[in-house]
């Protein structure tokens, strides 16, 4: 297939999901409330219950709950600038990262980190579903893993519209199954609450800062869920005075606010683990971290055994499908983004759905669930280095120092391929925190490795921006189009131009002037998609001498 044909095929295939593109107004026809509700539907994952139970058993209720409360505070601080840029400028996290310290190719590193997250969490959720099938039917784990993997394929391949319908119809069922029995126990059995508050787990019962941070570290590994929320909220409608209240509410709850719901589920996970250990089976030990054990145990105190198993299985299957269609969807977007930029070829997103599922199935077969605390604690170090770097570039380098360009540029030809600001920050923060996690910086420092990742990334990002004087952000300041990038409300413009490579119409934020003039010397336009798939520089405008953004040029470019 020719490069032009490949670009056309990619444009057609990505109309449903915009895998490596700005999401245009013509696609964003949902209300802000609808987008927010759909995004919140994806946080029905049961791994939260396992994470809460795991840190509760390891460190006791008080340390676990303090850690669970500490992590969301940091995650919200990190999440606000990143999620705002996604919702306001309608970009996924990879596109944001390109112009926020990493460069056109540099952001591939961060996208691979996120793609790994989707595989790990798909595996954890798939393992939970397999546990439920085993309890209910005696099905061997390998077969349960396979079923939990393939069941999401028919939904994922249809993209955002199918996911919106799935979450709309299943969220009320999930809430009823998970919360109503729990509320009844809290009201009717005060003794269970006292057992929960006094539970010491495997600790000596004392409150320790190290135990709190260790509990929080496991929770920090969930931070990439923000990127999955972004895959939804990038479809937010333009913000106008008429919808401002609804827009901000949906953004707050479905963007950075997702972690409040996540933290609540983690605390419930601690409670359920204590409940089944005290009220149902004291010999369960660490198996009390399995949601199927938690919910079957809770239901058995309220219903006959057969009904308890049926309800628990229904809850687990609904939750697993809800979150794993999102994991598979977001993972396929990430993998296709990386592959397309590296190879300049787009084979279709379906291939990357299957790749994501194969990796996740392999992790399930390796029994990643039994190592949940270790795997997530290890992963959290890299995760926080990555997301803190992006958030710091947006909040500090863009808005305070004004070294980084205010608009999150993502188009090839406008950016340098590599930007040392983000790459050095992530690399340094990851290496130092992983050394601490491995105990190579001393046993006293080991519990605080994730704090090292956060602190180093927060400091290194502006230091690198100042040291490089912003030279590696923009290759050009002008995209060659004499038309405003934003409308009167600061939203990306909906004006449309024809791409001379693909023949399709694209909206203003996706377009650049082409270096290739028309047959009569007229100016032509080229889409960022066509540039992504072109392995030459024939359409790319020559570089300009650029420096740090000036305050005057940043005004009015969208807020």
């Amino acid at each position: 297939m020719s490069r032009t044909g490949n670009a056309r095929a990619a444009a057609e295939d990505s109309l449903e999901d915009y895998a490596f593109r700005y999401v245009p107004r013509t696609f964003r026809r949902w209300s802000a409330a609808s987008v927010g509700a759909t995004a919140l539907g994806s946080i029905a994952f049961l791994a939260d219950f396992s994470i809460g139970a795991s840190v509760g058993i390891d460190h006791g209720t008080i340390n676990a709950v303090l850690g669970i409360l500490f992590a969301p505070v940091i995650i919200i601080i990190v999440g606000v600038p990143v999620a705002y840029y996604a919702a306001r400028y309608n970009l996924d996290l990879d596109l944001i990262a390109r112009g926020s310290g990493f460069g056109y190719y540099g952001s591939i590193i961060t996208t691979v980190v996120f793609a790994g997250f989707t595989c790990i969490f798909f595996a954890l959720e798939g393992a939970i579903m397999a546990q439920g099938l085993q309890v209910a039917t005696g099905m061997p784990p390998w077969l349960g893993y396979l079923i939990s993997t393939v069941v999401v394929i028919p939904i994922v391949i249809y993209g955002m519209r199918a996911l919106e319908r799935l979450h709309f119809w299943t969220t009320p069922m999930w809430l009823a199954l998970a919360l109503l029995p729990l509320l009844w126990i809290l009201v009717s059995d005060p003794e269970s609450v006292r057992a929960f508050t006094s539970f010491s787990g495997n600790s000596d019962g004392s409150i320790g800062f190290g135990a709190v941070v260790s509990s929080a570290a496991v929770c920090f590994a969930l931070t990439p869920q923000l990127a999955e929320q972004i895959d939804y909220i990038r479809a937010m409608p333009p913000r106008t005075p008429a919808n401002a209240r609804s827009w901000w509410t949906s953004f707050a709850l479905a963007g950075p606010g997702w972690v409040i719901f996540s933290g609540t589920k983690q605390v419930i996970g601690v409670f359920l683990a204590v409940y089944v250990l005290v009220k149902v089976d004291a010999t369960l030990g660490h198996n009390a971290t399995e949601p199927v054990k938690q919910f079957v145990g809770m239901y058995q105190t309220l219903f006959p055994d057969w009904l308890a198993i049926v309800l628990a299985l229904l809850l687990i299957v609904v939750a697993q499908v809800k979150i794993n269609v999102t994991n598979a969807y977001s993972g396929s977007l990430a993998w296709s983004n990386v592959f397309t930029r590296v190879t300049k070829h787009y084979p279709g997103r379906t291939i990357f759905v299957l790749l994501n599922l194969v990796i996740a199935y392999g992790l399930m077969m390796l029994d990643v669930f039994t190592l949940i605390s270790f795997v997530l604690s290890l992963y959290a170090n890299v995760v926080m280095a990555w997301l803190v770097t992006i958030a710091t570039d947006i909040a500090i380098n863009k808005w305070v120092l004004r070294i980084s360009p205010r608009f999150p540029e993502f188009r090839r030809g406008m950016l340098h391929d590599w930007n040392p600001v983000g790459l050095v920050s992530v690399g340094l923060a990851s290496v130092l925190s992983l050394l601490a996690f491995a105990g190579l910086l001393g046993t006293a420092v080991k519990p605080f490795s994730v704090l090292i990742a956060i602190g180093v990334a927060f400091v290194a990002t502006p230091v690198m921006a100042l040291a490089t004087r912003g030279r590696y952000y923009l290759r050009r300041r002008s995209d060659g189009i004499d038309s405003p990038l934003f409308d009167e409300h600061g939203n990306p413009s909906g004006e449309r131009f024809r791409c001379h490579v693909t023949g399709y119409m694209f909206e203003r934020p996706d377009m650049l002037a082409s270096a290739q003039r028309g047959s009569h010397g007229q100016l032509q336009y080229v889409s960022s998609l066509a540039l992504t798939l072109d392995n030459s520089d024939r359409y790319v405008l020559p570089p300009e001498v650029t420096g740090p953004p000036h305050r005057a040029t940043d005004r009015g470019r969208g807020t």
Side-chain angles (χ1 to χ4, degrees):
M1 181 183 292
S2 68
R3 293 292 172 184
T4 300
N6 191 36
R8 287 182 182 144
E12 292 170 0
D13 192 55
S14 66
L15 287 176
E16 177 64 35
D17 47 60
Y18 299 91
F20 32 82
R21 295 172 52 193
Y22 159 81
V23 183
R25 290 192 184 201
T26 51
F27 178 78
R28 294 181 280 117
R29 295 180 178 177
W30 294 280
S31 67
S34 178
V35 173
T38 301
L40 285 177
S42 70
I43 64 170
F45 49 90
L46 298 178
D48 271 330
F49 297 102
S50 294
I51 289 169
S54 180
V55 297
I57 290 174
D58 287 342
H59 303 292
T61 293
I62 301 302
N63 288 318
V65 171
L66 289 175
I68 292 169
L69 293 176
F70 173 64
V73 173
I74 303 299
I75 293 173
I76 288 174
I77 292 172
V78 171
V80 166
V82 181
Y84 176 78
Y85 264 53
R88 187 63 164 146
Y89 299 116
N90 314 109
L91 306 174
D92 67 16
L93 192 52
D94 174 80
L95 300 186
I96 294 171
R98 295 182 192 180
S100 299
F102 288 89
Y104 182 75
Y105 287 112
S107 69
I108 287 175
I109 296 171
T110 70
T111 304
V112 170
V113 173
F114 171 59
F117 166 86
T118 66
C119 293
I120 290 172
F121 273 84
F122 190 108
L124 294 176
E125 292 295 322
I128 291 170
M129 180 171 171
Q131 292 162 1
L133 292 171
Q134 185 176 34
V135 168
T137 67
M139 184 180 294
W142 70 267
L143 183 56
Y145 298 155
L146 184 61
I147 291 174
S148 67
T149 300
V150 301
V151 72
V152 305
I153 295 176
I155 302 171
V156 176
I157 60 175
Y158 288 105
M160 176 70 177
R161 290 188 176 93
L163 270 63
E164 191 270 341
R165 289 192 290 269
L166 170 74
H167 291 314
F168 177 80
W169 289 109
T170 56
T171 296
M173 179 191 300
W174 183 90
L175 290 171
L177 288 170
L179 297 183
L180 292 180
L182 176 66
L183 292 174
W184 175 254
I185 287 174
L186 292 175
V187 171
S188 63
D189 189 2
E191 182 60 34
S192 63
V193 178
R194 286 190 286 270
F196 164 70
T197 56
S198 62
F199 182 70
S200 61
N202 297 329
S203 71
D204 59 8
S206 62
I207 301 174
F209 185 59
V212 172
V213 174
S214 295
S215 298
V218 182
C219 305
F220 279 130
L222 286 171
T223 311
Q225 176 63 32
L226 174 67
E228 295 197 353
Q229 299 302 116
I230 282 172
D231 280 338
Y232 290 102
I233 65 173
R234 67 193 177 121
M236 289 278 276
R239 193 185 77 205
T240 65
N243 73 352
R245 178 175 297 180
S246 173
W247 195 96
W248 280 111
T249 301
S250 298
F251 160 76
L253 293 176
W258 71 269
V259 74
I260 297 173
F261 302 96
S262 178
T264 301
K265 290 193 300 177
Q266 290 162 25
V267 174
I268 292 173
V270 182
F271 175 84
L272 290 176
V274 175
Y275 183 79
V276 297
L277 286 171
V278 173
K279 296 287 185 177
V280 180
D281 187 355
T283 65
L284 277 176
H286 218 270
N287 288 332
T289 61
E290 298 177 12
V292 64
K293 298 287 198 310
Q294 296 173 357
F295 284 100
V296 168
M298 178 176 68
Y299 290 147
Q300 281 177 334
T301 63
L302 303 174
F303 308 109
D305 287 355
W306 69 270
L307 183 56
I309 292 175
V310 169
L311 291 175
L313 181 61
L314 180 60
L315 170 66
I316 287 169
V317 169
V318 168
Q320 192 270 348
V321 172
K322 282 172 69 63
I323 183 57
N324 270 354
V325 294
T326 301
N327 282 327
Y329 171 70
S330 294
S332 68
L333 297 185
W335 289 122
S336 63
N337 197 313
V338 170
F339 182 88
T340 301
R341 269 185 293 161
V342 171
T343 66
K344 308 301 179 186
H345 175 68
Y346 182 71
R349 186 171 63 84
T350 302
I351 291 175
F352 298 102
V353 171
L354 299 177
L355 171 66
N356 217 51
L357 298 183
V358 168
I359 296 173
Y361 182 76
L363 291 173
M364 283 186 256
M365 292 299 292
L366 293 172
D367 201 15
V368 69
F369 185 86
T370 60
L371 300 173
I372 184 170
S373 289
F374 173 79
V375 170
L376 296 185
S377 296
L378 173 66
Y379 196 64
N381 295 288
V382 179
V383 162
M384 294 311 292
W386 156 47
L387 286 171
V388 170
T389 294
I390 297 175
T392 303
D393 192 89
I394 293 172
I396 304 299
N397 294 355
K398 291 185 187 302
W399 289 87
V400 178
L401 299 177
R402 300 205 173 185
I403 294 177
S404 178
R406 184 73 58 85
F407 172 69
E409 184 60 71
F410 63 92
R411 297 165 293 178
R412 181 186 171 201
M414 296 297 293
L415 294 165
H416 289 285
D417 289 343
W418 306 92
N419 189 339
V421 173
L423 298 174
V424 171
S425 177
V426 166
L428 187 62
S430 297
V431 168
L432 290 177
S433 62
L434 289 173
L435 289 174
F437 181 81
L440 298 178
L441 300 183
T443 56
V445 177
K446 184 175 181 178
F448 310 109
S449 63
V450 71
L451 296 185
I452 292 175
I454 294 170
V456 171
F458 180 72
V459 173
T461 302
V463 168
M464 282 300 301
L466 290 169
T468 59
R469 293 182 292 176
R471 289 194 303 269
Y472 299 98
Y473 282 100
L474 292 178
R475 180 178 175 270
R476 293 181 56 87
R477 289 209 178 282
S478 169
D479 59 16
I481 301 178
D482 188 20
S483 177
L485 197 57
F486 300 96
D487 66 15
E488 69 274 18
H489 299 301
N491 300 298
S493 171
E495 185 178 2
R496 304 177 75 197
F497 297 85
R498 184 176 298 280
C499 171
H500 78 92
V501 177
T502 65
Y504 286 103
M505 299 293 289
F506 293 85
E507 291 184 6
R508 173 68 178 89
D510 247 348
M511 300 298 291
L512 302 91
S514 174
Q516 191 175 88
R517 293 280 174 163
S519 57
H520 300 290
Q522 74 273 23
L523 178 66
Q524 298 189 113
Y525 304 102
V526 62
S527 64
S528 65
L529 178 66
L531 292 178
T532 297
L533 291 160
D534 183 66
N535 61 356
S536 71
D537 289 330
R538 55 185 164 173
Y539 307 123
V540 178
L541 294 171
E544 296 175 336
V545 177
T546 62
H550 298 293
R551 291 178 183 271
T553 61
D554 260 354
R555 291 191 187 116
R557 300 198 67 196
T559 57

